[in-house]
Structure formats: structure tokens, C-alpha cells
Amino acid sequence: MIYCIDLDGTLIPNDMSVTSFVSVIRKNPLMLFPALCWFLRDGGRRAFLKYHIAQHYSFDPAALCWNRDLLDFLRKEAEVPGNEIYIVSGSTDEIVRKITAYHGFFKGGFGSTARVNLVGKNKLAFIKDKFAGQEICYAGNSRTDLRVWCGVPRGIVVSDSQQLISEARALTGVLRVFPGSWQQTSPNSPGDAGQR
């Protein structure tokens, strides 16, 4: 099975696009002016802004909080022959690549580019094109992810919202439900050591 895992709000509690923007502006308030230009350049398309902000943003994945229960589940699933685990996120490619490298069990990762904001219908179109003909399970956490669940056969819901869980179940076969329980990674956590 192909597991496509959302990042923001699913693997981690925060939105890395917002986090990166706030971090860059705090470090250099003058970046607000080019950021506004990036946002307006393509008619307010978030992808272009996120891409350029990411060029000025650095972070340490070890400092992030993670959904430990979900990570442990995915790590075990990655050991099953035929399973492949990918991050597919609205965060930028640069951020996604850094996180997939940090957790060595991911087969790869895909994020937003300067032209495509990889969320909602765009994410579903990408997944269906990239993994055509394969059984797909998508893990997400929000109503935006309903647009993805409606087009894949399996789903994982990261939420304690009974309404979202019910809506997801009406669209796809929900394999697992994980609450948003966040922990910082420990250097000695199984599967994390030696993968940085």
C-alpha cells in the first residue's frame, strides 16, 4: 500500500508555512516588503509566497513536536513488504525533504512548488497521477483533506472531531484514527537515531 501523509496538523501540530513566515519576518522585519510583493505577484497565490519564504527559512526537525503514535504506526507499516510511506504536504519541497531525511523510513516526500500549492484538489490530482493504479491511504487532519479522502480508497484521520471522522468515513475506508497527541522527538527514540 502507498501511504501519503500530510505534514501540517497531521505529523506535526503547527503549519510550517505559517511558522516559516513568522520566523523569517521576526528575524528580519524588512522581509515583509518582498513577502508582500511575492504574494501579490501572482494574484495572491500562496504557493509563490511559500516558496520564496522557504528560501530564507532554516529549522531543526529535532526541535519540532511530532505525533508519536502516528509515527510509530507508520514506521511499522514501512517494514511491511510492498508498503511505501511518503509525505505529501502543502508545505514547500525544501521543508518536506528535510523532514523525510530526518525520519529515515519515508520513501520520499513532495511539497508545494513556486507554481503549485499542494493542498485539497491539487493534492488529490498529484497523488492520483503519481501513484496511478496503486492502493492509496491518505492521512490528514482537516476539512481540506476531505477533498483528498473522496478520491482515495483508504484514509487515516488525525483528529478527535467526531464530525470530521464521520465525514471522512462517508468518503473513504478509514483504517485508523489518531488524536492529536504531540511529543518532541528524543535522540534515543527507536528509528530516529542515526537518521539525521
Side-chain angles (χ1 to χ4, degrees), residues 16-26 32 35 49 53 57:
M16 288 298 282
S17 297
V18 174
T19 299
S20 61
F21 181 83
V22 171
S23 176
V24 168
I25 299 303
R26 278 183 178 171
L32 188 58
L49 171 63
I53 285 291
Y57 177 61

Side-chain angles (χ1 to χ4, degrees), residues 89-160:
S89 173
S91 288
T92 62
D93 264 335
E94 292 83 355
I95 289 171
V96 170
R97 282 197 300 267
K98 194 165 187 176
I99 288 174
T100 55
Y102 178 72
H103 292 291
F105 63 87
F106 287 107
K107 183 78 171 179
F110 309 95
S112 293
T113 66
R115 304 301 304 174
V116 178
N117 194 20
L118 206 58
V119 298
K121 291 181 180 178
N122 288 342
K123 185 182 285 189
L124 175 60
F126 174 86
I127 288 172
K128 293 182 82 169
D129 180 64
K130 182 72 178 177
F131 303 110
Q134 301 185 68
E135 187 174 14
I136 298 164
C137 178
Y138 174 73
N141 71 293
S142 73
R143 293 189 60 81
T144 302
D145 296 312
L146 294 171
R147 297 178 180 179
V148 183
W149 283 318
C150 72
V152 297
R154 301 286 181 268
I156 294 171
V157 183
V158 178
S159 177
D160 56 7

Side-chain angles (χ1 to χ4, degrees), residues 19-108:
T19 299
S20 61
F21 181 83
V22 171
S23 176
V24 168
I25 299 303
R26 278 183 178 171
K27 287 181 180 178
N28 184 1
L30 293 177
M31 287 295 296
L32 188 58
F33 298 103
L36 181 60
C37 292
W38 296 328
F39 182 70
L40 296 175
R41 176 173 170 175
D42 287 340
R45 290 173 57 252
R46 288 189 65 194
F48 196 74
L49 171 63
K50 291 194 294 187
Y51 172 82
H52 284 281
I53 285 291
Q55 308 308 305
H56 300 271
Y57 177 61
S58 63
F59 72 100
D60 181 1
L64 297 175
C65 289
W66 301 91
N67 190 328
R68 171 58 62 187
D69 292 340
L70 177 59
L71 278 175
D72 289 344
F73 168 78
L74 294 173
R75 187 176 290 109
K76 290 176 183 176
E77 288 300 297
E79 295 174 356
V80 176
N83 284 353
E84 295 180 358
I85 320 291
Y86 296 87
I87 294 177
V88 184
S89 173
S91 288
T92 62
D93 264 335
E94 292 83 355
I95 289 171
V96 170
R97 282 197 300 267
K98 194 165 187 176
I99 288 174
T100 55
Y102 178 72
H103 292 291
F105 63 87
F106 287 107
K107 183 78 171 179

